[in-house]
Amino acid sequence: MKERLLKPSRIALLLALASAPLHQLQAQDAEETAEQSTLITVTATRNPIPAFDYPGQVSVVERETIEDFNPSTLQEVFQAIPGAEFDAGPRRTGDAPSIRGIGGNGVLIFQDGARQSFVSGHDGRFFIDPELVQTLEVVRGPSSALYGSGALGGVIATRTVSASDLLDEGERTFVKLATGYQSVNDEFRIGATAAAQSSDAMWDVLGHLTYRDAGSIKLGSGDTLPADDEITSSLFKVTLRPSDAVELYASYARYQADSSDPQNPQGANIAGAANDLVFRDARNDTAQMGLNFNPASDAIDLNLVGYYSKNGVEEDTVGTSRIADREVETFGLTIDNRSRIGVGDGSSLTFTYGGEYYRDEQTGLDTDTADGTRGGVPDAQTEFLGAFLQAELTLTDGLPGEISIIPGIRWDSFKSSATGEIFTIDDDEFSPKLGVSYKPIPELLLFGNWSRGFRAPSFNEAFADGVHFTIPDLSAAPGPFGPSFVQNLFIGNEALVPEQSESWEAGAGVNFADLITDGDRLTFKASYYDSDVENLIGLDVNIPTGCFVASPFVPSCGTGAAFGNTSQNVNIADAQISGVEAEFNYSSDHFYLRGNFSTIDGVDAATGEFLEGVLSPSVLFLDTGLRLRDGDVRVGTRVTSASDFDEVNDPNQAREGYLVADLYLVIEPETGPLEGFRLDLGIDNIGDADFEVVSAGVSQPGRNVKAALSWSKGF
């Protein structure tokens, strides 16, 4: 039986934190700490390091945690990540992530290293099934020093499952069959995975398929939100290892979601006169080929990745012949290398450097327009070229503890153009960053970072054209067929400049192994951040006063720029955003407790008003459970508590706080006749609470009974 009492050595160590000299604290228990397991981040530095050691905030969610959520969408897993949320509403078709209050083009999304550049006002942009995801990483805070334009809020990176994740030593093949159901939208799921590798491990291959069918969503308010969707997700991967130094790999993933919902499916919207019911076809195709070359040399650890991704949403309006489509294709090539240099006993220096080229191409279609173009969706392209350099210097020689210094800088050049436009948008930017961490003892981390980020104007913002909306001319007497109508038109803006941010962050963390019992582990990491974001891009909508009242003293009503009836993206605001984030995790053989806390504040620097669409309530999330029967059974509960949300300019947008609890049970025998089976049972929102996350009046899903069953086996 494992020891349950607080170990005397641990008590001594905790007391030593307040009293002992630093060099004594460093030496004490260093061996135990070095042996403990930890989560690894690749995205935060492009060089694998423990997530705890990164001088900033990065969350790594592995497959085991994702499976415990038994999620219908990956959005549900983001409960485990502070400062990151989705603001779309109950329907999955509008999934749109934000990090530290910044969303849209201010968040980069990667799938197996391939950029996902599709951004739409209401079509969502997160097209991946949770069954495909092996690891989810979220880097919070500006990351332009490594990833260039768009990382003002941060980076979301998913890595899909590979054969090596499933095959144990000595196994040649692997098979998994899975099914599931949830009551809140009558969703049924079925899926299969197969993997194989050669006896000498020189090649492996994986195939996966998941199908979901779901209907209308039962809300906590008692209402039912109309929805109807079918999702098919597939994945194929192959890896070749012709030598110990070379690995070649290729993959193709497809996400296909066919749904029937309003043209704008976000929030609590339902179909009506101003929001047509459409048959929506959302799709994502992502393919990549890569090379890793890692010979027996500290100077070379090279990755070369070429990729292609195509994201699109087609909407067929029910009852009419209108078809509207938006599609974005991305071609990219990235090369990076790591060179490691020893600089003394216990000290090290790693350089990470490389370059990137990618091109986004967008096409829009609307069969209701004379030329087939779609308003607000120009046929356009943007090209980016970037180069980056980062150093990771760790010093221990002659120091009371360990200091890590991570400076980095990236240069980007970009150029955007659109069909039919006489101007282009082009510029270049430097994005520096500096992170510093200090460990006076192996268990204690103090860190801080400073960074600058930028986001280039998107082609939708720079070259917006076509009809934005149609309004009646109320100043004129109605004719025999009713009032006359005029149109508000999008117009481009060649004067747009990139959004830019400057951010500071400081924090601390602790990381203990064998704290209470042998084999347990506690980590805690918290920080405060402050960001100044300049030249925020927003839509300036102008409607002539003459459209509402006839007067010789005001311009008359009409269509387009001649009458001032336009919508144009402009640099309209500077923002000040600050917040606190914390993550913690305790795990032992029989008990675990993990959770996070986040809060955010933000104002318009010019007006002092709250930043609409940026702020959210303070949120505390806890996930705790027991491991029984040597880990074969886990029973747990998740609790989310949010404060009242009153940082609003319009009192009608204030929301009450909420408390929501989930229960779940996992049965996964490791031995015996049921080995290979896994049963997940759970109830989300067990109190059937009526609560609002997105905005006032948008109720979230009510009580949801969930079940999943899978069988897997390696041969």
Side-chain angles (χ1 to χ4, degrees), residues 287-302:
Q288 67 158 333
M289 297 183 66
L291 161 71
N292 175 249
F293 179 54
N294 190 2
S297 168
D298 290 337
I300 301 176
D301 180 2
L302 183 142

Side-chain angles (χ1 to χ4, degrees), residues 103-170:
N105 291 287
V107 173
L108 288 183
I109 297 177
F110 290 92
Q111 180 177 318
D112 285 337
R115 289 177 180 261
Q116 306 297 303
S117 299
F118 183 88
V119 178
S120 165
H122 56 72
D123 288 327
R125 58 175 307 210
F126 214 66
F127 303 140
I128 186 170
D129 193 278
E131 288 297 298
L132 271 65
V133 178
Q134 180 68 22
T135 305
L136 167 67
E137 288 194 50
V138 179
V139 183
R140 302 188 295 282
S143 302
S144 295
L146 281 176
Y147 296 102
S149 173
L152 287 183
V155 176
I156 298 173
T158 57
R159 181 178 72 83
T160 57
V161 63
S162 299
S164 58
D165 299 314
L166 306 176
L167 291 163
D168 290 332
E169 186 175 354

